[in-house]
Structure formats: structure tokens, C-alpha cells
Amino acid sequence: MTTPLLRIDNLHVSFRVGKEMIHPVRGISLQLERGETLALVGESGCGKTTLARTILGLQAPSSGSIEYEGNDIAGLDRFRLKRYRPHIQCVFQDPFSSLNPRKRVEQLIREPLDIHQIGEASSRLKRAHEMMERVGLPTDWGRRFPHEFSGGQRQRIGIARALVMQPDLLICDEPVSALDVSIQAQIVNLLWELKRDMGLSYLFISHDLMLVETFADRVAMMYKGEIVETGPAREVWSNPQHAFTRRMIDAIPVPDVTRPTPPAFRIDAD
């Protein structure tokens, strides 16, 4: 029996806001196999991002374990976390706020290599340019700043920066929700190609069941800090077992193909 790439066991996360204790993650247990896409689906505020931050080591767990390739990484100090983080990278929801506006694109993509002091300066820049090409950006755009790009292009920059460390696992936290629908499809196709070509594993966080039903291998439904249902994506879609999953599916708008298309709006000149 192979060891899962990522195993989470009875994870709790709590923190204080003012005088109140908040419990965004409550006893979550999950595992992600190498080469798999696991979608974490839930409403806004259910704890998805807190779980992602805890896996990344940006939020300390209150209890429970997080194992990466069989090694417990929950509670590691910052020195040992630095050795672990290159293996797990993140693509954030807002591609603009996650990029430093004062740095040029090639600097942003190269930055993780600089922090971990991997290779010489020339090889780091070469690697950054390779990642730009890999995500569909011309290398001569590397001297530009983030504000000079569209939302979809900025998300490609974020993906290139995440990939420059050659991670095994990519956490995608609502990576397309801030983009136009037409651009969303391009980014999802890019992520699928990267998984196929680079052997990546994904923890794909979303609230869009229609998207994850086609993109993910398995789905974990999260409700009020807990996992209420897991299973193969198409099975969860076709035969939901939990009331929350059924409500999520029922809320998906269904087009009425029998309704006649309204005439195009037109203003006739006098």
C-alpha cells in the first residue's frame, strides 16, 4: 500500500477574534494521492482557505496531524518549514493582490528561487523565463509590471511563480473565480495540461460544482468547518448523499432550452 502524498487526520484550527474563539476547521480528515486532483468544495466562510493556509504552514493547527509523504509537518518551526514549502505551492484567488506591484514579472517569478538560494542568478532568470513560456507568456514581457497585464495574464504569472520551485502539490484557492467566464476556461485548461505534463497533484478549492465535476478526480464537500461528504466527482454529482451537497447541486442554474430567445435589441434611426 503506497503512502498518500498528503494525509490530514482529525485537524482542528481555532483562533481568537476579540473575545470570541473561532473554529473554522473542525476535525477534518482527508488524503490526497500523488497525481490526483482533489476538489474541496463549500460555501464562502466554511473554512476552505483556512485549511489551505494550515497545510501551507501559514496558520498553526490547534490539534491533529498533517503528513506530507508520511512525515508529520504540523507545527514545524520556520527553519524546517522552509525546507518543506518548495514541495507545496499555492495559486491564490486574486492574481493582482498576490503580486507585488513594485516588482517586474521576471523578478516575481524568480523570487522563490532567490529566497531558497537555488542556483546562480543567471540560472534563476533562465528558469523564470522557462516558466513564463510554459504558461503561455512571452519572455520579453518579463520586464513589465503586474498592472500592465489582464486578469487572466496575471493569473498565469501566479501559476508560473508557483511552478518555478517544481512542486509536487499545487493548492489552487479559487484560482478562476475572479476571472471572466471565457478566461476561466483557458486557465482550467492550462492547469489540466500542467498536471498531465508535469505530474502535478492538485488540491483545488472552489464553490463551483459544475467546474470541479469535470476537472477533479474526487470531491470533498465542506460545510461549517467539517467534511460532510467525499467521493469520486461524478458519483457525488450524480448521487449526492448529504443534504448540503444536494442543496449545492439544486442551486446550479439550469438553462431552459424551450424558452424562445428574445430578439436582439436594436435602435432604428429616424
Side-chain angles (χ1 to χ4, degrees), residues 205-260:
I205 299 172
S206 180
H207 61 269
D208 187 340
L209 267 178
M210 291 187 68
L211 170 61
V212 303
E213 190 263 342
T214 57
F215 182 69
D217 300 307
R218 287 191 304 120
V219 173
M221 302 299 298
M222 190 169 181
Y223 179 63
K224 293 184 177 180
E226 300 178 359
I227 299 298
V228 297
E229 183 171 358
T230 60
R234 295 185 183 277
E235 183 177 311
V236 171
W237 174 272
S238 62
N239 188 28
Q241 300 298 306
H242 194 274
F244 170 70
T245 311
R246 291 193 291 270
R247 288 203 306 270
M248 289 282 287
I249 293 174
D250 290 342
I252 298 172
V254 179
D256 184 358
V257 296
T258 64
R259 185 175 180 178

Side-chain angles (χ1 to χ4, degrees), residues 65-182:
S65 66
I66 303 172
E67 294 182 2
Y68 177 77
E69 292 188 322
N71 300 307
D72 193 353
I73 58 176
L76 290 180
D77 60 42
R78 64 189 183 93
F79 298 105
R80 286 184 291 175
L81 270 176
K82 188 176 180 180
R83 295 198 299 267
Y84 146 71
R85 280 182 172 146
H87 300 284
I88 302 181
Q89 294 290 300
C90 187
V91 177
F92 297 95
Q93 178 178 5
D94 186 348
F96 190 65
S97 64
S98 64
L99 301 174
N100 188 336
R102 297 177 180 272
K103 291 189 175 183
R104 301 182 189 274
V105 164
E106 61 188 24
Q107 293 176 300
L108 289 168
I109 297 174
R110 194 188 66 201
E111 188 174 29
L113 299 173
D114 295 338
I115 292 171
H116 291 270
Q117 299 180 340
I118 297 174
E120 301 295 329
S122 59
S123 64
R124 296 172 193 170
L125 182 59
K126 180 181 178 181
R127 177 67 179 167
H129 286 167
E130 288 173 353
M131 287 300 99
M132 289 186 66
E133 292 179 337
R134 188 65 191 80
V135 300
L137 296 173
T139 57
D140 58 0
W141 289 5
R143 301 294 295 169
R144 298 183 183 182
F145 292 94
H147 72 269
E148 301 179 73
F149 293 86
S150 67
Q153 290 168 340
R154 286 196 289 262
Q155 195 60 290
R156 290 174 186 267
I157 296 168
I159 293 170
R161 183 176 62 176
L163 292 177
V164 78
M165 294 296 293
Q166 298 180 295
D168 300 308
L169 172 60
L170 207 59
I171 297 178
C172 301
D173 188 2
E174 300 273 11
V176 299
S177 63
L179 305 176
D180 293 339
V181 174
S182 59

